[in-house]
Each structure stands twice: as structure tokens, then as C-alpha cells.
Amino acid sequence: MPHLAVILLLMWLRVCYAMLNPVDFLALQSIRKSLEDMPGSNYFSSWDFTSDPCNFAGVYCEGERVVALNLGDPRAGAPGLSGRLHPSIGKLTALAEFTVVPGRIMGALPVTLSQLKNLRFLAVSRNFIFHEIPATLGELRKLRTLDLSYNQLTGGVPWAIGRLPALTNLILCHNHLSGAIPPFISNTLTRLDLKRNDLSGPIGPYFLPPSLQYLSLSWNRFSGRVDRILPRMNRLNYLDLSMNRFTGPIPGCVFNFPINNLQLERNQFSGQVQPRTSVTIQTVDLSHNMLYGQVSPLLATVQNLYLNNNRFTGSVPRVFVDRLMAGSIKLLYLQHNFLTGMPIKPRSLIPLSSSLCLQYNCMVPPVQSPCPISAGTQKTRPTSQCNEWKG
């Protein structure tokens, strides 16, 4: 009899809601029961199951199937939802898009998401999703965008994610992910954002496809050299490798990338900095590394240049003085190096729109200019250190 009751219910749903598959109808009911509007949100006010669910807010149908589900009020600043994602989401097998607005949804991602073989866009960001990323998401062969950023995810990045053939955007930043990352095989991957996790280990020379245009790996514990990785990334228009443990030289080609900011600070890069041509990147931050040699005059075309806390030696090229006095250089941080001179007159008036810091080098700063608090109070590096350092 219970089995007959289910059949009769499905037949009734088919009659009453001819526009929607009964399985999809029941799945939406389960999803609704597991979630609530946060105070100030009225997202679910239209979810009246005595009417056609295809007219619900955030529900989009084609024929009798739900093809897109956008949970929550998408307006900026609107309160989100609370509760958990119900496993019945996996019953919406025609779903191509599934998104959740920022809120207080907790728990693990349902493993049933792997049943959504037509899914192309999956975004559940800025909530409180925890546990690991299900490796079964690697079964979503049509998936193009995966955004699980700003959650509480732990564990590693499943290697199956790296094998998704159509992946275009992978955004996993601001979680608690750890371990090594997989190689990514998709030749359409353009955005990879893994910043602010606890990922580690070297990155193989062929782990990242040359299709990448946006690469952010900052605030992790990645290590190893990048001089065999970055030369293949000639389509990058955003690059941030800061706050890691990368080593070896910085390849000269990165200074010719079509980017506005080059952020390589706080690593363990070493060697000389040798751009191939004049650098047109607006901001270059190479601070807090182990770079040495003379400061290249090809960097004088950079508006904001951070070379502080390295091991640069010699005299600063005159072209830097000329551009600084002309106001073309807005910020030039050279503190905490081993520089021995800068051809600038002691009474020179640096434009108010520009900043220069020369503290703690192997010279008395020829001009007095304000430095950041982090530069300390010592104007000159001890002579003993200057004598020991040979570059």
C-alpha cells in the first residue's frame, strides 16, 4: 500500500503540475524544508507549492525540468539563507546552474551533486560550508565554473577536479585547504584563485595550462621554483604569488606580462632582477625576498616600485632620480638593502605626490623623506654588515 500511495502522489503531481517533473517538484520541497530565510530576507515568500514551482524566485525551467536554481536574494547586501543543503539537490538531474548567495548555510556539500551530469556552473561561496570538497565533483564533466570561496573547507583539492576537461574558472580562495594541488588538464582554464589557504609543495612545470589569464596563489605555503612555470603563462593579466615560499630566480618574461600589478613579495626568490625591456606594469612588489645585484634601470618606468628588504647593492641609477623628481614615480621603496648611493642632491624637494624611502642601506640617506613605520628608526645599516655582504 505505501508503494501505491507514492505512485498515486506522483500521478497527482503530474496532473496538477504538468509543467514540472514530479521528481523535481519533490526535490524542491526537500530543499525548501532544509533552508530558512535569514532575518530581513523574503526570498522564500514566493515558494508556495500550491502554485507552479517554475514561477518561484530563483527557479528556472525548460519544459518540465528545473535547469537553473539560484538560492537566495541576489541583490547586493541582502540577507542570505541559513540551514543545510539537502541531498535531494541531486535529483534535479537537468540542472545546468546552481548558485547560493552569501549567508549562513552550514554542513558539507552534498555528495549527490555528482549526479548533476549537466551542471556547468556551481557557486556556493561566502557561507559556512565545511568538511572536504567531494572528489565526486570530478564526475561533472561539463562543469565550467566551480566557486566554493570564502567557506570553511578543509582537506585537499581533489585530483579529480584537476581532470575536469571543460573547467574555465576555479575559485577556492579563503578556505582551509591544505596539501599539494593537482595538475589541471583543461585547456580552457582562465581563472585559478587559491589564495588564503594552507596549500603547499612545489608546482610542476606543466601543472598549470598556458590558457590561464588570472592566477592568484598568495597566502599559502607553496615552494619550489617558478622559472619553468611562468614563461608558459604568456596570457596572464593578473598574477599574485605573494606570501609563499617560492625560490629561485624571477624570470625576466614576467615583467612584460600585460598586467597592472605584479605581486611577488614575501617569498624566497633570489638572483638578479633582469627585465628584458622597460617595464610598463603600474605596480611591482618584489619586497621581502633575497634578490641581489644592482637595481635595473629598466624598472624606472614603474609607478609604484617595492624593492625593500632584499640584498640589492651599488648605486641607484640616475634615471630613477629623474623620474622621481618629475613625479612619474609615485612610490620608490629601497629600504633595508645594501645600496651605497643615490645621485640625488641633499636639498632636492621630492614632489608631494611621490614617496621615497632609503633607510637602512650602506649609506647615509642623501635626502630626508618619510618612511613607513615598518622601516624602523635606524637610518643606516651597520658598517660591519656592509663589509661582510659581497652581493
Side-chain angles (χ1 to χ4, degrees), residues 308-321:
N308 53 287
N309 296 83
N310 278 286
R311 300 175 179 177
F312 289 108
T313 55
S315 181
V316 180
R318 177 172 294 277
V319 63
F320 282 94
V321 176

Side-chain angles (χ1 to χ4, degrees), residues 56-70:
F56 292 177
V59 177
Y60 303 89
C61 303
E62 286 185 5
E64 62 174 12
R65 303 303 307 274
V66 177
V67 296
L69 181 59
N70 307 132

Side-chain angles (χ1 to χ4, degrees), residues 272-279 292-301 305 307 312-313 315-317 319-320:
Q272 300 187 42
V273 177
Q274 298 177 315
R276 297 174 180 175
T277 58
S278 294
V279 181
Y292 57 79
Q294 296 200 339
V295 176
S296 171
L298 297 175
L299 292 170
T301 44
L305 182 61
L307 298 180
F312 289 108
T313 55
S315 181
V316 180
V319 63
F320 282 94

Side-chain angles (χ1 to χ4, degrees), residues 38 79-82 100-105 125-128:
M38 289 179 61
L81 308 175
S82 61
V100 179
V101 301
R104 297 191 66 84
I105 294 177
S125 65
R126 295 181 185 273
N127 277 274
F128 292 84

